[in-house]
Amino acid sequence: MRKIVILGGNGFLGKKLTEQLSQIPTNAVVVYDRKLPSSNQRLANVKYISGEFVTGYDFASLVRGAYLVIHLISTSVPGTEKGPLDEIHANVIPSVELFDACVAEGVARLLFLSSGGTIYGGSAYRANRETDPPSPYNTYGLQKVMIEQALQLTSHYSSMQYQIIRLSNPYGPGQNPHGPLGLITKLVYQATNHDTIHIFGDGSVVRDFIYIDDAIQGIIDVIEHGEMNSIYNLGRGTGVSVADVITTIEAALPESLNIMYEPARKVDAPYSVLDISKYRAISTIDEFIPLAEGIKHTHNFFVTHSE
């Protein structure tokens, strides 16, 4: 059996990834998270451990005997991030302690989920490549860059191999529609519930959106087929404006939209799209789920799982 530890395994991505990896008979999956699912929602073949992602935690005991450690945890998300010092204390230092514990316990591989949107910052209206220099425009992106570099340095001086995934903007069933992330999920939820939709700016902001099932398959592709000691962009590789998202939602859903436009925010980079050529070389996905189809799936979820 291969022990796989997923830090942040009860989050939006973590739950789906846990489901997929635990279906492989040779995997023994351990989920570590601050908040765990209720007992009736836990998978029978998965071990769940509750704990905070903080400096001083006994990460060595957590990762002991693991073949692969997957680091999905962040104590902040874009829009909720704090100052640089707080981000370093809350995310960077515990991550470095985790990496050191993995080396000490002989963990062979570590996968870190970074950010494809905030790592590169504002781009010159072209898709960002993995070789582009990081230029984060908020402290969330800053801490991701620092963790990436700490992982690379740790690997350089040890036998532990790493993979880094810079993910774009995932959306779909299972994402919290009330949280600060997930524009499409929030818009579909608000449309389903006939809420007023607030849009910042004129809708010209462009993002790279990827449906949750494709995002999870992409992560598994990197784990199973990706190069070691390497960085992969993961998204659809296609830019869609907020205005086009709204138009697609209006065409795909039976509900009418009540939209209110608010002043633009300085934190929103005008264009953020990923070049996924490197991932395409190892991908098992023939065609990504189209935006309209993903929106319909998300809508159907909210209709059948009304709060």
Side-chain angles (χ1 to χ4, degrees):
M1 298 289 286
R2 299 192 310 175
K3 179 179 177 181
I4 299 176
V5 178
I6 305 177
L7 290 91
N10 192 42
F12 174 46
L13 293 166
K15 283 183 180 179
K16 299 284 188 179
L17 189 59
T18 297
E19 291 173 5
Q20 293 296 315
L21 292 177
S22 64
Q23 292 177 11
I24 301 174
T26 55
N27 289 342
V29 178
V30 177
V31 165
Y32 176 82
D33 211 317
R34 178 178 60 84
K35 184 179 180 181
L36 300 180
S38 57
S39 57
N40 64 333
Q41 293 181 327
R42 298 185 184 186
L43 300 174
N45 58 340
V46 174
K47 181 179 180 181
Y48 293 88
I49 299 175
S50 175
E52 299 285 343
F53 188 68
V54 293
T55 183
Y57 183 81
D58 185 10
F59 291 116
S61 295
L62 176 66
V63 304
R64 188 163 296 141
Y67 162 76
L68 170 64
V69 171
I70 302 175
H71 180 7
L72 307 179
I73 289 182
S74 177
T75 66
S76 67
V77 296
T80 70
E81 66 270 41
K82 300 178 181 179
L85 193 59
D86 289 330
E87 289 289 337
I88 290 170
H89 280 298
N91 290 291
V92 180
I93 294 177
S95 295
V96 173
E97 292 181 353
L98 169 66
F99 302 157
D100 288 344
C102 289
V103 171
E105 294 298 326
V107 174
R109 297 173 57 184
L110 191 144
L111 172 71
F112 173 57
L113 196 74
S114 188
S115 169
T118 62
I119 284 285
Y120 300 110
S123 64
Y125 294 92
R126 66 165 181 81
N128 288 113
R129 308 179 184 92
E130 291 88 351
T131 53
D132 289 347
S135 182
Y137 58 88
N138 56 30
T139 56
Y140 176 83
L142 174 65
Q143 56 106 336
K144 290 293 189 182
V145 172
M146 295 178 72
I147 294 172
E148 284 190 10
Q149 294 179 341
L151 176 56
Q152 291 171 314
L153 184 65
T154 301
S155 175
H156 179 75
Y157 287 103
S158 71
S159 60
M160 183 178 72
Q161 297 180 308
Y162 72 86
Q163 291 173 311
I164 294 169
I165 295 177
R166 293 174 175 168
L167 184 65
S168 62
N169 297 272
Y171 72 96
Q175 189 172 34
N176 178 11
H178 306 295
L181 290 182
L183 173 68
I184 292 179
T185 302
K186 291 167 71 72
L187 294 181
V188 172
Y189 176 85
Q190 290 167 343
T192 306
N193 290 275
H194 308 286
D195 296 335
T196 299
I197 294 173
H198 296 268
I199 299 297
F200 294 97
D202 60 2
S204 61
V205 167
V206 173
R207 292 290 181 267
D208 186 342
F209 299 101
I210 183 170
Y211 187 68
I212 179 61
D213 291 358
D214 287 339
I216 295 303
Q217 186 56 54
I219 293 171
I220 292 175
D221 284 343
V222 172
I223 292 173
E224 295 184 346
H225 309 296
E227 298 175 0
M228 291 298 106
N229 303 333
S230 190
I231 298 173
Y232 284 88
N233 283 339
L234 178 58
R236 290 180 69 240
T238 302
V240 180
S241 72
V242 173
D244 286 339
V245 169
I246 293 172
T247 299
T248 306
I249 291 175
E250 288 179 317
L253 305 189
E255 290 85 3
S256 58
L257 275 58
N258 180 21
I259 301 172
M260 179 178 294
Y261 288 90
E262 307 283 355
R265 302 179 298 185
K266 291 184 178 180
V267 297
D268 293 327
Y271 188 90
S272 179
V273 179
L274 299 180
D275 184 320
I276 60 168
S277 301
K278 185 175 179 180
Y279 166 68
R280 276 297 196 187
I282 64 166
S283 175
T284 62
I285 300 173
D286 293 328
E287 294 292 338
F288 288 105
I289 293 175
L291 181 63
E293 184 178 340
I295 286 172
K296 290 178 181 178
H297 290 328
T298 306
H299 174 259
N300 290 338
F301 174 83
F302 286 133
V303 169
T304 56
H305 295 77
S306 59
E307 297 179 357

